[in-house]
C-alpha cells in the first residue's frame, strides 16, 4: 500500500508523519482519517483552496486535475507547479511526499 509522507507543519503536524494511503482515496481523506486536520472549508466539493498541498514527490502518480481544480489553484496561497487540492488528488500506486502550505485562504473564517 502506498504511503504519504507529510512534511512537518507547525500547527497541523509538527513532527511530520508517515501514513498508509489506500489507492483511490483522496489525499484530504487520508490526512483527515489520520488526525491531520487539514482545512476543507467547502466540505471537499472543489469550491475553495483551503486543502491545497504541494506534492514534493509522486506528483505524476496522482489522477489528472480537472479544469475546475486548476482554475481554483490559481487563487491558492503559495502555488507551485506541483500544487493540488487534496480533496481532488487521488492516491495512485506510488508513495507521496506532501507539504501543507503555511497559510491558506479561508474567507469564511477570516470574514466570519
Amino acid at each position: 500500500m502506498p504511503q504519504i509522507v507529510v512534511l512537518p507543519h507547525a500547527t497541523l503536524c509538527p513532527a511530520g508523519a508517515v501514513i498508509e494511503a489506500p489507492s483511490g482515496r483522496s489525499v484530504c481523506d487520508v490526512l483527515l482519517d489520520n488526525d491531520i486536520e487539514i482545512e476543507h472549508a467547502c466540505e471537499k466539493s472543489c469550491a475553495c483552496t483551503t486543502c491545497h498541498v504541494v506534492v514534493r514527490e509522486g506528483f505524476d502518480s496522482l489522477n489528472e486535475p480537472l479544469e475546475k481544480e486548476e482554475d481554483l489553484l490559481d487563487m491558492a496561497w503559495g502555488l507551485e507547479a506541483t500544487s493540488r487540492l487534496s480533496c481532488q488528488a487521488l492516491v495512485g500506486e506510488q508513495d507521496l511526499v506532501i507539504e501543507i502550505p503555511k497559510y491558506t485562504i479561508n474567507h469564511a473564517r477570516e470574514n466570519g
Side-chain angles (χ1 to χ4, degrees):
M1 178 180 305
Q3 294 182 329
I4 297 177
V5 175
V6 182
L7 298 176
H9 181 280
T11 307
L12 301 177
C13 190
V18 178
I19 52 181
E20 297 290 317
S23 297
R25 298 275 329 262
S26 75
V27 171
C28 186
D29 284 337
V30 173
L31 296 176
L32 292 170
D33 288 348
N34 287 275
D35 300 319
I36 300 172
E37 297 298 324
I38 189 165
E39 290 193 50
H40 53 288
C42 70
E43 295 300 320
K44 303 180 273 187
S45 66
C46 195
C48 73
T49 63
T50 59
C51 70
H52 167 229
V53 296
V54 179
V55 182
R56 298 290 180 206
E57 292 180 24
F59 181 81
D60 291 335
S61 71
L62 298 170
N63 60 312
E64 291 289 321
L66 298 176
E67 185 176 341
K68 182 177 181 180
E69 178 185 357
E70 290 178 333
D71 290 345
L72 281 169
L73 279 168
D74 287 339
M75 297 180 280
W77 184 92
L79 180 67
E80 295 191 23
T82 58
S83 288
R84 290 293 304 264
L85 297 181
S86 66
C87 70
Q88 301 300 302
L90 302 180
V91 176
E93 298 299 322
Q94 293 179 10
D95 292 347
L96 301 172
V97 176
I98 65 162
E99 180 177 357
I100 301 170
K102 184 176 182 179
Y103 300 107
T104 186
I105 299 169
N106 186 341
H107 295 294
R109 184 188 314 159
E110 294 165 7
N111 297 321

